[in-house]
Amino acid sequence: MPPCLRRFALAALLPLALLYGCTTFKSVPPGTPLAQVQSEFGRPNYSCPLPNGGQRVIWSGQPFGQFAWGTDVDAQGRVGEISQLLTDQHFKKLGEGSWTPEQVLCEFGPPAEQGGVGLPSSIQIVWSYRYQQSGVWNSLMHVYFGTDGERVTRFHPGPDPMYERDDFLPFF
């Protein structure tokens, strides 16, 4: 192989080698000390106490990222399974039981956007989480807390306007 092609082949394989050499949250085994996870991935940007004396920790890319990773940490400081929180499957949990804003924060982390919708006499509080619907579509999961802001009343995905083109005609 000529030297220039050999260099090109090596340059093309370098990103793959780096990718396989990197660790991800999925590679962290349950039972790992939180301090060790933090030394590798940084401090979580959200945490809340759990009733059993442990805590829930979340590494969130909100407001502009589409991913958040979370786990429960036991009272001895060991992590459980670290999982991706902003998925269609995980958002289905909101349909089970009654959710307060504090519980939503503790489960999913801070939202990308907070706002309100409706008529002036009945504005509903809405939190929106940026994520990839079905692992593909740039979307927001809208979580409604009703007019009093006390409980989740409904939730649904919608397109994320941050990724919409501003062009009216495709050829301009």
Side-chain angles (χ1 to χ4, degrees), residues 25-34 37 71-72 74 77-83:
F25 282 111
K26 287 185 176 184
S27 66
V28 175
T32 302
L34 176 60
V37 178
T71 188
D72 292 345
D74 65 20
R78 294 183 307 256
V79 302
E81 181 180 349
I82 300 176
S83 60

Side-chain angles (χ1 to χ4, degrees), residues 98-120:
S98 179
W99 289 75
T100 66
E102 293 78 20
Q103 290 169 317
V104 173
L105 275 173
C106 196
E107 188 65 33
F108 298 97
E113 300 175 2
Q114 295 182 15
V117 297
L119 299 172

Side-chain angles (χ1 to χ4, degrees), residues 71-149:
T71 188
D72 292 345
V73 181
D74 65 20
Q76 289 73 42
R78 294 183 307 256
V79 302
E81 181 180 349
I82 300 176
S83 60
Q84 166 49 295
L85 304 176
L86 306 180
T87 65
D88 292 306
Q89 188 64 34
H90 197 74
F91 280 124
K92 286 182 182 178
K93 288 181 111 179
L94 294 172
E96 303 166 5
S98 179
W99 289 75
T100 66
E102 293 78 20
Q103 290 169 317
V104 173
L105 275 173
C106 196
E107 188 65 33
F108 298 97
E113 300 175 2
Q114 295 182 15
V117 297
L119 299 172
S121 61
S122 61
I123 293 188
Q124 296 185 52
I125 296 167
V126 182
W127 290 1
S128 299
Y129 289 88
R130 190 162 272 116
Y131 83 116
Q132 288 187 337
Q133 185 179 5
S134 301
V136 178
W137 307 107
N138 297 318
S139 301
L140 290 169
M141 178 60 74
H142 304 288
V143 181
Y144 295 76
F145 290 97
T147 56
D148 63 3

Side-chain angles (χ1 to χ4, degrees), residues 4-24:
C4 64
L5 284 177
R6 193 170 329 145
R7 281 193 301 264
F8 177 75
L10 288 174
L13 291 175
L14 182 62
L16 289 175
L18 290 174
L19 179 65
Y20 286 109
C22 295
T23 58
T24 65

